[in-house]
């Protein structure tokens, strides 16, 4: 590292000396084979390059939509998701319209007002009217977006106790997720990382009666049509609970509890019938079939067919296996959810079995 810094300093020093020599040369008025004054040919070349780059940007944007426009998320599987999608759509429409217009003006003006020996620039100090217009318009647009976003966020984050939400804890640790249900009383027991030992992987307080019927699982099941309030904890570093198909994300911070609530509206079985999901699954399985041919040719095992499932991801770079930190989510009917939950062992049962 020291040798690298020494070489870097020498290179920078050499560049500085070279630039200073050029400055002295220009100050003395001596001619040079490398003229510092742009000719009409240079200006014309740069002007046409600006228009060419503008066309390149527009063509690239069109091709991107054409080739990858189908990789976006399908319709939201949560009640509030449509509000997030509408906010995103409005924001992107404004961004693209403003971007297309301003980029056109920037490159067109650079072309039409390119340097010319027969033209002289006009000194235009200021224009209060123009400055007011290009200041007040962004202020109004941004204020509208911010107010709309605040109302949307407040509506999403406002959890009414009358809704009787299902309480679920999401517990993040490098590099997996666990979920804890409150049992029949829908009340989570107290927990502390200092109590983590043996089967008590989430540190549930054995002395808290509310924690005895808690159920810890590695696969998240949610009843369709019922609001779910997630309480989120992290054992080690900063994680982020991201459920893209529900348009939900919240940081999991060590030492504190964060929360997010939403109502699932589309079951896993129903989402698998969505046209976009069907197309996506077909494309993925086609790629898997092609790779399986190459794998089996060298004696390796073929890839299994892909089937869509909702997933919980970590959206913070939390370590070496961050990419693989995910948990399957199943949205099902209330009856199927209750049947599944009844089959899961409670914390009290697990602690009793450990002491035997």
């Amino acid at each position: 590292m020291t040798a690298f810094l020494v070489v870097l300093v020498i290179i920078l020093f050499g560049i500085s000396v070279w630039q200073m020599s050029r400055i002295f040369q220009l100050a003395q008025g001596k001619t040079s084979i490398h003229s510092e004054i742009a000719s009409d040919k240079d200006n014309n070349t740069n002007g046409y390059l600006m228009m060419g780059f503008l066309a390149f940007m527009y063509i690239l944007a069109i091709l991107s939509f054409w080739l990858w426009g189908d990789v976006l998320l399908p319709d939201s599987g949560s009640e509030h998701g449509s509000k997030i999608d509408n906010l995103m759509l409005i924001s992107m429409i404004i961004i693209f319209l403003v971007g297309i217009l301003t980029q056109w003006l920037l490159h067109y003006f650079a072309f039409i007002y390119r340097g010319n020996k027969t033209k002289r620039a006009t000194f235009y100090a200021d224009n209060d009217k123009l400055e007011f217009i290009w200041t007040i318009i962004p202020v109004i647009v941004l204020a509208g977006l911010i107010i709309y976003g605040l109302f949307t966020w407040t509506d999403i984050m406002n959890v009414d106790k009358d809704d009787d939400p299902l309480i679920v804890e999401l517990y993040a640790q490098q590099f997996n997720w666990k979920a804890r249900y409150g049992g029949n009383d829908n009340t989570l027991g107290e927990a502390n990382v200092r109590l983590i030992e043996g089967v008590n992987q989430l540190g549930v307080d054995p002395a808290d009666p509310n924690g005895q019927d808690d159920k810890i699982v590695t696969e998240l099941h949610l009843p369709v049509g019922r609001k779910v309030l997630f309480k989120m904890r992290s054992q080690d570093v900063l994680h982020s609970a991201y459920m893209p198909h529900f348009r939900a994300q919240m940081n999991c911070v060590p030492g504190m509890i964060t929360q997010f609530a939403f109502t699932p509206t589309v079951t896993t079985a129903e989402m698998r019938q969505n046209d976009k999901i069907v197309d996506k699954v077909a494309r993925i399985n086609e790629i898997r079939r092609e790779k399986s041919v190459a794998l089996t040719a060298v004696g390796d095992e073929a890839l299994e067919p892909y089937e869509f499932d909702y997933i919980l991801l970590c959206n913070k770079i939390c370590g070496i296996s961050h990419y693989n930190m995910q948990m399957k989510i199943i949205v099902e009917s209330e009856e199927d959810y209750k049947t599944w939950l009844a089959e899961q062992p409670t914390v009290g049962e697990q602690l009793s079995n450990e002491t035997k």
Side-chain angles (χ1 to χ4, degrees):
M1 178 59 72
T2 303
F4 171 75
L5 291 175
V6 170
V7 173
L8 182 62
V9 169
I10 293 173
I11 293 174
L12 292 176
F13 179 76
I15 293 175
S16 300
V17 172
W18 175 60
Q19 290 290 348
M20 290 177 64
S21 67
R22 298 188 67 186
I23 292 172
F24 287 133
Q25 188 180 53
L26 289 172
Q28 294 172 2
K30 294 182 179 180
T31 58
S32 171
I33 57 174
H34 302 291
S35 176
E36 302 297 327
I37 301 176
S39 64
D40 286 344
K41 180 181 179 182
D42 296 330
N43 292 327
N44 288 332
T45 299
N46 286 320
Y48 285 110
L49 284 174
M50 291 293 283
M51 294 303 292
F53 188 71
L54 177 67
F56 169 76
M57 287 194 301
Y58 286 169
I59 293 172
L60 184 62
I62 293 171
L63 284 176
S64 297
F65 277 104
W66 178 266
L67 295 174
W68 300 293
D70 57 354
V71 301
L72 301 176
L73 289 170
D75 296 335
S76 173
S78 66
E79 191 176 76
H80 76 272
S82 59
K83 299 177 183 178
I84 297 292
D85 290 344
N86 287 336
L87 181 60
M88 177 65 75
L89 179 62
I90 292 172
S91 300
M92 294 307 296
I93 288 174
I94 293 174
I95 288 171
F96 269 91
L97 289 178
V98 173
I100 290 171
L101 176 62
T102 55
Q103 289 298 325
W104 164 256
L105 292 175
L106 174 66
H107 290 80
Y108 177 73
F109 278 18
F111 169 74
I112 200 68
Y113 295 116
R114 63 190 183 275
N116 190 310
K117 291 181 180 179
T118 62
K119 295 180 181 179
R120 186 179 182 86
T122 302
F123 180 73
Y124 200 75
D126 60 78
N127 187 306
D128 294 340
K129 185 177 181 179
L130 278 178
E131 291 176 6
F132 176 80
I133 291 174
W134 68 47
T135 300
I136 197 65
I137 291 178
V139 167
I140 293 173
V141 173
L142 290 175
L145 286 175
I146 291 170
I147 293 172
Y148 178 31
L150 285 175
F151 274 104
T152 302
W153 179 251
T154 302
D155 187 46
I156 293 171
M157 297 303 292
N158 183 30
V159 181
D160 193 340
K161 293 182 179 179
D162 294 336
D163 293 336
D164 187 28
L166 173 67
I167 309 297
V168 179
E169 180 183 68
L170 292 178
Y171 190 79
Q173 61 184 135
Q174 295 173 311
F175 297 96
N176 63 76
W177 295 96
K178 291 182 178 64
R180 178 163 63 112
Y181 293 83
N184 295 328
D185 59 2
N186 195 31
T187 303
L188 294 170
E190 295 295 328
N192 193 304
V193 292
R194 295 181 177 87
L195 300 175
I196 295 176
E197 184 179 8
V199 296
N200 192 4
Q201 300 179 47
L202 271 60
V204 179
D205 188 352
D208 185 357
N210 290 326
Q212 292 298 308
D213 64 345
D214 288 358
K215 300 185 176 185
I216 301 173
V217 298
T218 56
E219 184 175 272
L220 188 59
H221 284 241
L222 304 175
V224 67
R226 183 177 179 184
K227 177 161 283 191
V228 183
L229 176 60
F230 292 98
K231 302 284 186 176
M232 305 176 188
R233 288 194 298 146
S234 172
Q235 177 176 309
D236 35 50
V237 298
L238 183 66
H239 298 279
S240 185
Y242 178 43
M243 293 167 272
H245 299 97
F246 302 108
R247 313 301 193 263
Q249 179 173 330
M250 181 59 66
N251 285 345
C252 305
V253 185
M256 67 181 294
I257 298 175
T258 55
Q259 68 178 37
F260 194 97
F262 66 82
T263 303
T265 56
V266 183
T267 66
T268 299
E270 290 171 342
M271 186 59 80
R272 287 173 178 170
Q273 302 304 314
N274 182 283
D275 291 339
K276 291 183 179 179
I277 295 297
V278 171
D279 292 341
K280 176 182 176 180
V281 170
R283 290 197 305 271
I284 292 175
N285 282 329
E286 180 61 30
I287 295 173
R288 285 180 172 241
R289 279 192 291 270
E290 293 175 357
K291 290 189 175 181
S292 293
V293 172
L295 290 172
T296 54
V298 295
D300 292 333
E301 186 177 350
L303 298 175
E304 295 181 359
Y306 167 74
E307 184 176 44
F308 170 82
D309 275 305
Y310 292 121
I311 52 174
L312 165 64
L313 302 169
C314 177
N315 208 24
K316 285 286 185 292
I317 302 177
C318 56
I320 191 170
S321 294
H322 156 75
Y323 71 96
N324 203 32
M325 185 173 169
Q326 56 185 272
M327 181 165 65
K328 180 179 177 180
I329 303 175
I330 296 178
V331 179
E332 55 198 355
S333 66
E334 183 79 23
E335 294 76 17
D336 290 340
Y337 162 74
K338 289 181 177 179
T339 300
W340 170 83
L341 188 63
E343 297 171 351
Q344 310 307 312
T346 64
V347 170
E349 292 170 348
Q350 290 178 321
L351 292 177
S352 297
N353 293 334
E354 185 182 35
T355 57
K356 290 180 180 179

